[in-house]
Amino acid sequence: MVAVVLLGSAWQMAQIAERKGADDHAFRRLEIHDAEGRDTGRLKVCGNRYQEPFCLRAEHVTVNDVMLKLNKKTGARYQFEFGRSGGRTLDVSLNVRSDDQDVVEAASGQGKATLYWWRDSLRLLKVSAGGQERTLHAAHYPGWGFTPPAAFGAVLAGLGLAALWAGLWRIVRGGASRLNRPWQTTAPGVTFTLAGLGGALGALIATNSHSVRTVAWTAGVVGAVSAVGAALWAYRWVRRSLPEVERMEPVVPVDEHRFPGVVWGPGPWKALSIGWLRAGPQGLAAVPPGPATGTGTFGVQRFPGRLRLIRVRTPHRDDPLGVRFHSSPREPDGVDRGPFTVAECEALSGPVPGARVLIGADKDDMPYVLGVLSAAASFPPGHDDRDRHDVQGSSHDGSTASH
């Protein structure tokens, strides 16, 4: 929804900028050039030869007053008060070049001026005093009206594409894995946001050409450079973070350790998904919810067969929802543990040998699961189940989880 709103607003800004850019191109056609394309200084003024709206409407006024206003940021600006027909006045504030300041100041109270209107907006004015004449551009001279919507639309487009990427990534890849976040939000967010800022910069430098193409090219170059940098950062971040999951070391528990966890698999393995697991010298078991301690047997469900650990990984999108996210309430300390880490196993015995079994637990608790499985792997094949405390398992190649 955020992406739709941002991209829709960006599209509207692009349409406004395009219209203003077209107006600017049309305005340039009001200047008369000679056979070699040079500006002759003449304008297409409405009259017998040129008719509206393809001409400038000239209005002759008097210069009642000119006041100089100094500003540290914008520099010197002149405030004109023009006298119009019918006793009306018009106030206009302009930036004036240093070469024109003497004529402008001399025109105060006694000079003449001609205002040139086009499409109901003041575009040019000519001020004359002491036999000299200067042509000044109005505050919204062509090119300046194109810039704000183009720049703002470029920024909105960048933010909208970032939101769109994040949403599509979550739909296609899921959003449970912490290792997915750089590719889902950070890297595309930085890339598209910088591309939008680059487009805004392109709008500023495209004042003379009024070209949306300049905005697009600048955004594309900035976006491409940003994408390379963001991708390298995300790749290095993920590679540094992978050992936390895929190279997790097992911890053989010396006492009972209860923790939120879930088991998913076919047949009797489904009955183990009751929200909590227990790892300890007695092996792995599903226990009633709650952080109670002890080795009691009430409500305890033993694993129905031996397991071989294939790998430890972050959740995949096709994993059951309970394996991907905590289904139990928040911890007593109020900390949200986030998504589970998944131990992918293969059932070697029991009612469904060869079945794919998933064990989900926090990354802080998963080493205990790996420790129990690696400890069970140390028993020789065919050893009595009771000597293995009813929980059988073996790790891939008899070691910890890794690809």
Side-chain angles (χ1 to χ4, degrees):
M1 182 62 68
V2 172
V4 171
V5 172
L6 291 175
L7 292 176
S9 300
W11 176 256
Q12 291 298 323
M13 292 293 102
Q15 294 298 307
I16 294 174
E18 187 69 27
R19 288 195 298 269
K20 289 183 177 294
D23 288 346
D24 293 343
H25 283 297
F27 181 83
R28 292 185 181 278
R29 291 196 293 269
L30 300 179
E31 300 173 347
I32 300 178
H33 299 80
D34 59 20
E36 297 179 357
R38 293 173 298 187
D39 186 3
T40 62
R42 298 173 58 195
L43 301 172
K44 293 181 180 179
V45 181
C46 298
N48 296 331
R49 183 175 180 183
Y50 303 107
Q51 301 297 323
E52 292 191 61
F54 306 105
C55 58
L56 291 169
R57 180 169 52 86
E59 179 185 1
H60 301 287
V61 296
T62 59
V63 182
N64 294 341
D65 192 14
V66 178
M67 295 177 292
L68 175 62
K69 294 185 177 181
L70 297 178
N71 188 292
K72 293 182 179 180
K73 295 183 178 180
T74 60
R77 290 178 65 88
Y78 284 86
Q79 183 74 34
F80 292 83
E81 182 181 295
F82 297 114
R84 310 175 72 181
S85 61
R88 298 173 300 164
T89 60
L90 175 66
D91 294 331
V92 178
S93 180
L94 297 178
N95 289 324
V96 178
R97 296 180 303 177
S98 57
D99 297 341
D100 301 329
Q101 289 179 359
D102 54 342
V103 177
V104 169
E105 292 174 355
S108 178
Q110 58 183 354
K112 300 293 183 180
T114 302
L115 308 180
Y116 292 96
W117 298 86
W118 188 64
R119 297 186 179 179
D120 297 326
S121 64
L122 179 61
R123 296 301 180 115
L124 296 171
L125 62 136
K126 288 184 178 180
V127 179
S128 59
Q132 293 183 312
E133 186 178 71
R134 294 290 190 273
T135 300
L136 308 177
H137 295 165
H140 54 286
Y141 189 73
W144 301 339
F146 162 85
T147 301
F152 189 52
V155 174
L156 289 180
L159 296 176
L161 289 174
L164 179 63
W165 177 283
L168 292 178
W169 183 279
R170 186 174 183 87
I171 293 174
V172 176
R173 299 290 298 273
S177 173
R178 184 172 62 93
L179 300 180
N180 275 341
R181 292 174 188 170
W183 302 108
Q184 180 184 359
T185 55
T186 308
V190 169
T191 298
F192 290 120
T193 300
L194 291 180
L197 294 176
L201 177 63
L204 297 178
I205 65 178
T207 301
N208 293 328
S209 62
H210 321 304
S211 174
V212 176
R213 185 177 302 176
T214 304
V215 177
W217 272 105
T218 309
V221 171
V222 175
V225 175
S226 304
V228 173
L232 290 176
W233 171 85
Y235 177 78
R236 293 186 61 184
W237 187 91
V238 170
R239 295 310 301 174
R240 288 196 305 266
S241 302
L242 280 177
E244 298 181 10
V245 175
E246 297 186 349
R247 302 174 188 176
M248 190 175 294
E249 295 292 333
V251 176
V252 179
V254 295
D255 54 7
E256 299 294 341
H257 180 69
R258 296 169 65 100
F259 51 89
V262 65
V263 178
W264 179 89
W269 294 100
K270 292 182 180 180
L272 303 179
S273 299
I274 56 179
W276 283 73
L277 298 176
R278 185 180 71 184
Q282 301 297 322
L284 279 170
V287 295
T293 59
T295 58
T297 59
F298 176 77
V300 175
Q301 300 184 39
R302 305 289 185 179
F303 280 25
R306 298 177 56 204
L307 295 176
R308 179 177 68 89
L309 179 65
I310 300 176
R311 58 175 174 167
V312 178
R313 56 173 174 79
T314 57
H316 291 172
R317 177 167 176 75
D318 58 352
D319 292 340
L321 189 62
V323 176
R324 294 164 56 193
F325 297 98
H326 281 273
S327 58
S328 59
R330 288 173 177 258
E331 294 296 300
D333 57 6
V335 178
D336 189 357
R337 302 296 184 182
F340 275 144
T341 301
V342 179
E344 186 175 344
C345 306
E346 178 187 1
L348 299 180
S349 62
V352 281
R356 177 169 171 261
V357 179
L358 304 179
I359 303 175
D362 286 329
K363 67 175 183 178
D364 296 331
D365 301 319
M366 184 57 70
Y368 295 101
V369 176
L370 304 182
V372 173
L373 295 178
S374 62
S378 63
F379 287 93
H383 199 277
D384 186 80
D385 286 351
R386 290 172 297 177
D387 294 337
R388 283 179 274 114
H389 305 294
D390 296 326
V391 178
Q392 306 295 326
S394 61
S395 64
H396 183 56
D397 296 329
S399 62
T400 62
S402 62
H403 284 300

